[in-house]
Amino acid sequence: MIRVYILAIAVLTSLFMSCQQGKPTPVARSFDQYLYPDDLQGVVPPGVSGDDSIQLVRAYIEQWTRQQALLHHAQRNVNINTEHLAKQVEEYKNGLIVYEYEQALVSRKLDTVVTDDEIKAYYDSREELFLLKQPILKASFIRLKQDAPEIERVKRLFRSTNFEEQDLLERYCAVYALHYALRDTAWYYADELARKIPISKINEDHYSQTGRIFEIIENNELYLIILHDSKFRDTRSPLSLVHSNIRNLILNKRKIDLIDQMQKRILDDAHKKNNIEIYN
């Protein structure tokens, strides 16, 4: 922390001395390159002050000195074709300008409304894209200490579809369960579910045994698990699981089409106005 405040004092002193002497005083040097107070303009975003602003300035200065040191070393140890380098820089700059224009166009023109009918049509027409690479499951579970009371009663309530008994189980879990999910209707990939419960201890051959209570003991804790539905690898993924992915695919296709149309329109217009010529 002391170093941070020393840095802040140094930067402020440099700024003050610059104003007093009418010439800039550097805040850092790396070999023959100097960093001046004016170079720090914009480093700290509006609204950031105190220790946060000091840390940002410090990080920038350290990054600058590191980059300049590496650049100094590279320039003395690599034979640089300056003409080729300049061409690469120009191409990179031009690519950035075009990219910024394309992003501005997408921001203004892209239709981001994707209906459920469009998503369903995409899903139905591209079945091969949505084959599962691993099993998916719908599951409810209760995680308890091994010595939790009334385990047999809990298992009976867990199987029940009666609203009042489900309410009793919810109250029990609120008091005794370490973690539980009784009404989760979402699909989960097996490896995703394994981060919540020891599903890997259930053989995949048993995934189709829906409605059964699986009892697993791990780390002196009891897991009660009911599988409500399952789908196996190489079968078609449910639409609900890939809904968001399909929406993104549709939007990405629209984005590509929009950019292609823009490019074609610009080129066609340039050709019509004789702004493009290819000389033989």
Side-chain angles (χ1 to χ4, degrees):
M1 182 61 71
I2 292 174
R3 290 180 61 193
V4 172
Y5 284 113
I6 291 174
L7 174 67
I9 292 171
V11 172
L12 292 173
T13 300
S14 296
L15 290 167
F16 177 76
M17 294 295 294
S18 299
C19 294
Q20 292 295 312
Q21 299 174 8
K23 62 180 181 179
T25 300
V27 296
R29 180 184 68 83
S30 185
F31 292 90
D32 57 350
Q33 298 298 312
Y34 292 86
L35 184 70
Y36 293 96
D38 283 349
D39 298 323
L40 301 176
Q41 297 296 325
V43 171
V44 180
V48 177
S49 59
D51 289 346
D52 291 339
S53 64
I54 294 171
Q55 293 285 4
L56 286 173
V57 171
R58 179 187 182 190
Y60 181 86
I61 293 173
E62 289 180 351
Q63 171 62 21
W64 180 88
T65 56
R66 180 166 57 250
Q67 184 180 44
Q68 293 302 320
L70 292 172
L71 181 61
H72 176 88
H73 184 78
Q75 288 173 334
R76 281 153 181 77
N77 289 277
V78 177
N79 292 324
I80 299 173
N81 184 328
T82 54
E83 183 178 341
H84 177 66
L85 182 62
K87 183 178 179 181
Q88 286 184 308
V89 170
E90 183 68 16
E91 289 176 352
Y92 181 67
K93 182 189 76 172
N94 292 341
L96 282 178
I97 293 171
V98 171
Y99 175 79
E100 289 296 326
Y101 173 68
E102 290 174 348
Q103 295 310 300
L105 175 73
V106 167
S107 178
R108 293 196 311 269
K109 300 290 187 179
L110 183 65
D111 178 8
T112 58
V113 176
V114 181
T115 66
D116 287 340
D117 287 343
E118 288 176 291
I119 291 173
K120 179 68 165 57
Y122 191 100
Y123 174 78
D124 289 339
S125 65
R126 294 167 176 82
E127 182 173 342
E128 72 284 355
L129 295 181
F130 306 112
L131 298 180
L132 292 167
K133 300 295 187 285
Q134 63 171 297
I136 58 172
L137 303 162
K138 288 183 180 181
S140 296
F141 68 89
I142 306 171
R143 176 182 160 207
L144 298 162
K145 293 182 179 178
Q146 271 191 273
D147 59 355
E150 302 184 273
I151 296 296
E152 291 304 316
R153 177 169 177 260
V154 169
K155 285 192 255 183
R156 181 180 62 79
L157 294 175
F158 199 17
R159 289 193 189 93
S160 175
T161 58
N162 179 275
F163 178 79
E164 291 182 356
E165 292 190 330
Q166 288 180 349
D167 186 56
L168 287 174
L169 180 61
E170 183 84 37
R171 295 183 188 182
Y172 175 93
C173 289
V175 175
Y176 294 106
L178 301 172
H179 189 32
Y180 65 98
L182 303 179
R183 298 181 179 87
D184 193 347
T185 60
W187 286 103
Y188 292 93
Y189 290 104
D191 62 356
E192 182 183 7
L193 195 57
R195 292 194 285 270
K196 295 184 177 183
I197 56 178
I199 197 72
S200 59
K201 293 191 174 182
I202 301 176
N203 192 293
E204 282 190 29
D205 294 339
H206 297 154
Y207 284 175
S208 60
Q209 297 180 14
T210 56
R212 167 187 168 183
I213 294 182
F214 293 92
E215 299 181 45
I216 299 173
I217 295 176
E218 184 176 79
N219 298 326
N220 297 318
E221 295 174 351
L222 171 65
Y223 290 82
L224 303 177
I225 302 168
I226 293 180
L227 301 180
H228 300 292
D229 202 354
S230 60
K231 290 185 181 295
F232 293 87
R233 67 185 79 238
D234 297 323
T235 60
R236 196 179 188 195
S237 173
L239 176 57
S240 60
L241 189 65
V242 294
H243 189 279
S244 178
N245 288 342
I246 293 175
R247 181 181 184 276
N248 291 335
L249 288 170
I250 292 173
L251 287 177
N252 190 58
K253 177 66 165 56
R254 288 182 186 175
K255 178 180 176 180
I256 292 171
D257 289 345
L258 181 63
I259 291 172
D260 285 346
Q261 291 166 11
M262 173 271 293
Q263 292 177 351
K264 185 177 184 303
R265 185 175 63 252
I266 289 175
L267 287 173
D268 288 347
D269 184 66
H271 282 296
K272 287 178 182 178
K273 294 178 180 178
N274 293 321
N275 289 322
I276 293 178
E277 292 183 278
I278 299 175
Y279 304 106
N280 296 325

